[in-house]
Amino acid sequence: MNIPPDDRSSPEADPLESRLDQLLADRATQALSDDEWLELEGLLAAHPEVDPDAYDRTVAALEVSHQQEFPELVEPLPVHLRQRIAASGRICVRSQRSRQTPGPAGALSSRPAAERVPSRWLGLAAALLVGLTVGMLLENRGESSPERACAALLERRSPAELARAEWRAVEGESLPGIGGEVIWCDRDQEGYLRLTGVPANDPAVEQYQLWIVDEDRGHAQPVDGGVFDVAAAAEMQTIPIDAALVVDRPGVFVITLEPKGGVPVSDGPFLATATIPRG
Amino acid sequence: MNERSLLQRIASGDERAVQECMDRYGGLVWTICRRLCRNVDDAEDAVQEVFIDLWSSSARFDPSVAAEETFIAMIARRRVIDRWRKKRREPKSEVISEINDPAAPREKDEVEIADEASRVQMMMTRLRPEQQEVLDLSIFRGLSHSDIAGELGLPLGTVKTHARRGLMRIRELLGEDPHLGKGGGE
């Protein structure tokens, strides 16, 4: 291949650094394989002096310039999406505000603290804490396990009656390996989290908490979906959702990590989200 | 002037900045998602995830490192690429189709952004033709390196080299730019 002389001059003394540089360039322009991703993580850990975002910023600058150069290719954000996104923005901004101003901020709360009865949740959670997993919150729906109850819901309802979405980690937060999905049925007001790759929490100190952005609530307040514990990261865990209020049109499910028992007002940050697709 | 950026305002809890952010950058993000995702549904999911990332990471935006629109485009591209990775899909370019929704008003208020755009575009023309071609196919058409190798009849390693060296060259050229420079240079 004809590598021009000027291109041969780039300093690449260390083969590992060269490999790191190539992986960073690859990451900026295409999806890495899982193996490459792991390799990149390892190399970045070994080379903390390297700016991991430099190529990404370069490509982003090219993207911006391209859109400026060809404005006819720029499409406005559709209105219905804008409304949905505005809801998540308001929640997040209020959460930022409450973080900066401790006290009653009125955000991220759908249920007064007094109604949460954490002792009930903890009692139930303890009862469910068998083996690997565990969850939470909830009412007993007469099922012997969340897995079976979830399977029954999937069997009982058609795909059109179920809202389903994959979990996505929020960049820079503490659940990069999260997988699985959320399943929700408006008609039954019943739903489940199926989770993998979530680190175990110490239930005596902190618990994961679920929030549901219900589009029919004017996006003003997310519905508290209850707290839950994770005992092992490797297994798929099924966790019932304990929505504190009726949820008619869930848009986004959000996981935060909160002090034991959960909070009426979350300081965030969002760790993972699952966005229900609207066809 | 020390006017705070939209992301800085969002980080400090200013709700109005959320709307302004969507006014100003909604088109940028949506266009990236629409172009790089396989279909509209996928793009809609992606654009929501991008903005959730933005709301959540607004406090991490540092205007001394990158321009705001560059930071936002970076988050958007990274999120879409992460979706490719997770779905184990190779990206395929699609022709941008018409959107039925009526447009929200689009703001084009930034002369400086246009200036930067021209500068970056100029820098592209200073790359070798094969580097330009690979970056164009990769960044603006969303082709994977293996697709590009097939399309251009080049070995995969050569495609990767062209992409990387093209980006390195642009980083060098951007290196002295006070606004974009840190975004590209080292």
Side-chain angles (χ1 to χ4, degrees):
Chain A
M1 18 197 167
N2 300 316
I3 304 296
D6 63 308
D7 282 347
R8 289 193 189 115
S9 61
S10 51
E12 287 170 359
D14 180 351
L16 286 181
E17 273 187 54
S18 172
R19 175 63 179 158
L20 171 58
D21 199 58
Q22 181 66 60
L23 285 171
L24 288 171
D26 287 353
R27 186 187 66 171
T29 50
Q30 68 162 17
L32 298 181
S33 69
D34 287 344
D35 286 346
E36 289 171 328
W37 191 264
L38 285 173
E39 185 184 2
L40 175 59
E41 295 281 301
L43 288 169
L44 282 174
H47 291 277
E49 76 284 1
V50 170
D51 177 357
D53 297 332
Y55 281 127
D56 293 296
R57 283 197 300 270
T58 303
V59 171
L62 287 170
E63 176 71 55
V64 171
S65 78
H66 186 73
Q67 292 196 21
Q68 292 293 325
E69 195 80 4
F70 303 102
E72 67 277 12
L73 297 180
V74 179
E75 298 183 28
L77 184 65
V79 170
H80 70 278
L81 271 179
R82 190 192 159 91
Q83 290 170 344
R84 222 185 291 174
I85 291 165
S88 67
R90 276 193 293 271
I91 294 163
C92 204
V93 165
R94 288 174 192 174
S95 145
Q96 314 261 28
R97 207 156 49 205
S98 69
R99 219 176 306 177
Q100 291 154 8
T101 315
L108 277 183
S109 174
S110 58
R111 182 167 19 175
E115 288 179 34
R116 295 183 56 83
V117 198
S119 59
R120 165 178 158 246
W121 296 354
L122 291 175
L124 282 169
L128 291 169
L129 249 173
V130 188
L132 319 162
T133 326
V134 203
M136 50 282 31
L137 12 154
L138 354 140
E139 20 190 309
N140 184 340
R141 296 183 187 275
E143 299 289 345
S144 57
S145 76
E147 289 80 6
R148 244 178 281 179
C150 180
L153 175 66
L154 291 171
E155 193 177 331
R156 188 168 72 241
R157 295 298 176 201
S158 69
E161 293 176 298
L162 297 172
R164 300 178 75 158
E166 291 180 0
W167 286 107
R168 304 273 179 197
V170 172
E171 180 163 309
E173 297 300 345
S174 57
L175 298 182
I178 191 171
E181 63 175 340
V182 62
I183 300 163
W184 177 258
C185 177
D186 292 345
R187 186 168 170 179
D188 296 337
Q189 289 296 298
E190 179 182 351
Y192 298 88
L193 316 182
R194 302 184 72 239
L195 295 172
T196 60
V198 176
N201 61 301
D202 179 353
V205 179
E206 58 190 9
Q207 293 183 288
Y208 292 105
Q209 187 160 6
L210 178 72
W211 305 93
I212 309 164
V213 178
D214 183 357
E215 296 179 8
D216 284 351
R217 292 187 178 280
H219 313 294
Q221 288 185 322
V223 174
D224 177 359
V227 294
F228 60 94
D229 299 322
V230 173
E235 302 288 337
M236 177 68 80
Q237 309 189 19
T238 303
I239 297 166
I241 295 172
D242 179 28
L245 300 170
V246 173
V247 176
D248 288 327
R249 203 159 181 268
V252 184
F253 292 77
V254 177
I255 293 173
T256 62
L257 185 62
E258 307 293 354
K260 170 186 172 183
V263 292
V265 177
S266 176
D267 285 346
F270 295 177
L271 304 182
T273 62
T275 303
I276 302 297
R278 294 290 173 207
Chain B
M1 292 198 267
N2 263 343
E3 197 174 325
R4 289 187 307 162
S5 72
L6 287 173
L7 290 175
Q8 288 172 316
R9 285 170 54 199
I10 289 169
S12 68
D14 179 349
E15 277 189 54
R16 280 182 311 171
V18 168
Q19 298 292 342
E20 291 177 44
C21 187
M22 286 189 298
D23 286 343
R24 188 174 303 172
Y25 301 119
L28 169 70
V29 174
W30 175 240
T31 300
I32 290 171
C33 294
R34 191 65 193 87
R35 193 180 67 235
L36 298 180
C37 291
R38 290 193 160 220
N39 54 51
V40 173
D41 288 346
D42 206 27
E44 290 195 356
D45 292 349
V47 77
Q48 291 177 84
E49 290 175 6
V50 169
F51 275 102
I52 287 173
D53 277 353
L54 284 174
W55 310 144
S56 306
S57 60
S58 54
R60 289 199 284 272
F61 168 63
D62 180 351
S64 71
V65 172
E68 190 171 57
E69 64 275 12
T70 304
F71 178 81
I72 288 173
M74 182 181 81
I75 297 283
R77 286 191 56 90
R78 192 176 271 176
R79 170 55 68 180
V80 174
I81 288 175
D82 192 49
R83 288 174 65 88
W84 294 346
R85 189 173 72 85
K86 288 195 169 154
K87 291 188 173 183
R88 283 277 155 271
R89 287 180 185 168
E90 288 294 302
K92 300 285 182 201
S93 67
E94 287 182 356
V95 176
I96 295 174
S97 63
E98 58 289 324
I99 300 301
N100 296 328
D101 250 306
R106 191 158 85 220
E107 290 189 9
K108 280 196 140 301
D109 52 353
E110 317 225 344
V111 175
E112 326 147 32
I113 294 177
D115 288 346
E116 288 169 10
S118 301
R119 286 203 299 278
V120 176
Q121 210 62 35
M122 280 290 292
M123 289 168 190
M124 273 290 269
T125 65
R126 292 171 65 181
L127 300 182
R128 297 181 61 85
E130 57 271 27
Q131 291 171 345
Q132 282 185 47
E133 189 168 29
V134 165
L135 288 179
D136 183 65
L137 291 171
S138 173
I139 296 171
F140 304 126
R141 288 183 50 195
L143 295 190
S144 69
H145 292 172
S146 52
D147 284 342
I148 295 169
E151 186 155 316
L152 301 182
L154 294 172
L156 179 59
T158 303
V159 169
K160 286 176 178 288
T161 300
H162 287 330
R164 176 190 177 207
R165 291 184 188 279
L167 290 177
M168 285 172 71
R169 180 72 179 134
I170 292 175
R171 283 170 62 184
E172 285 168 18
L173 294 169
L174 289 170
E176 301 307 315
D177 189 296
H179 200 43
L180 289 169
K182 294 267 176 81
E186 294 158 288

